[in-house]
Amino acid sequence: MLPLELSRPTWAGRPLDFLAVIDFAETAGVLRLPELPPTGTACFYYAAEIPRPWGDDPSERDGWRVLSGAARPVAAGGAGAEASEPPVMPLSAEPFLSLPGPYEPPLRALDATWSGFLDFYEQLYEAWLRFAWADLPRHQLAGWPVLVQRSLGEDQRLLLQIDSDERLGRCWGDPGTVYFHARAADLSGGSLDRCRLTLQAR
């Protein structure tokens, strides 16, 4: 998928891999999230093959893109596409409760006030993860991210989380997850081109 007027983005001489397209009008029909645009689409691209950017080096900023606008399909192997690119797979969405992970600054602050709080919360959080996700890949739009290592930043809000998923031909590590995120003001204002990316893996 590509916005109608744009060509396939590249990084370091290679085309970026298409990861997902989100129709915000459709997702608003499931659950209206105030931090997301109410209409429009966003196409997500990333230099998925190794070597890939981790998101913490400013020189790698072109290693991902979030492109807004009406989207058009790009056939695998066609103009602007890689012949080996995994096929597009439609996914459904449903609302659920997300919880902040133990790496988030608010939880760390609570532990500084009430010593031992984090030890108890980590057990609760792990039980909730098993209940909410079971063995499913943890793909998520907005809410609290399911972090592998560290917080995305105190002023950062999750836009899209893409987990490793054999069905999609994507593996970021074991475990490994890609996060697209931005400041709350940028998300609500529709400035999706300002989104940052973070890859976390073990």
Side-chain angles (χ1 to χ4, degrees), residues 143-164:
W144 289 101
V146 181
L147 299 168
V148 177
Q149 292 179 328
R150 63 190 185 279
S151 170
L152 301 178
E154 200 152 1
D155 188 37
Q156 295 295 304
R157 299 292 183 269
L158 178 69
L159 175 56
L160 180 65
Q161 167 183 300
I162 303 178
D163 201 1
S164 297

Side-chain angles (χ1 to χ4, degrees), residues 49-63:
E49 299 302 318
I50 298 173
R52 59 173 72 110
W54 289 74
D56 49 5
D57 185 345
S59 68
E60 298 177 337
R61 177 60 186 85
D62 289 338

Side-chain angles (χ1 to χ4, degrees), residues 8-17 46-53 62-63 65 80 82:
R8 186 62 166 264
T10 62
W11 177 67
R14 38 191 270 226
L16 296 186
D17 299 278
Y46 178 46
E49 299 302 318
I50 298 173
R52 59 173 72 110
D62 289 338
R65 303 282 204 295
E82 292 288 330

Side-chain angles (χ1 to χ4, degrees), residues 5-142:
E5 71 281 6
L6 297 178
S7 58
R8 186 62 166 264
T10 62
W11 177 67
R14 38 191 270 226
L16 296 186
D17 299 278
F18 168 70
L19 297 188
V21 59
I22 301 296
D23 185 320
F24 292 111
E26 287 192 2
T27 58
V30 176
L31 178 66
R32 176 71 181 99
L33 300 171
E35 65 268 35
L36 297 182
T39 60
T41 61
C43 297
F44 296 81
Y45 292 89
Y46 178 46
E49 299 302 318
I50 298 173
R52 59 173 72 110
W54 289 74
D56 49 5
D57 185 345
S59 68
E60 298 177 337
R61 177 60 186 85
D62 289 338
W64 65 89
R65 303 282 204 295
V66 180
L67 305 179
S68 302
R72 62 177 172 83
V74 177
E82 292 288 330
S84 59
E85 185 170 85
V88 174
M89 176 180 293
L91 298 175
S92 61
E94 60 183 36
F96 80 109
L97 173 67
S98 67
L99 295 178
Y103 294 111
E104 297 289 0
L107 276 298
R108 299 289 176 174
L110 283 174
D111 191 63
T113 303
W114 292 288
S115 179
F117 165 81
L118 207 52
D119 292 337
F120 170 78
Y121 185 82
E122 285 176 345
Q123 297 179 50
L124 171 66
Y125 187 73
E126 287 300 319
W128 171 80
L129 285 181
R130 290 193 295 271
F131 172 79
W133 295 100
D135 295 326
L136 296 173
R138 297 167 181 174
H139 306 310
Q140 182 178 319
L141 181 67

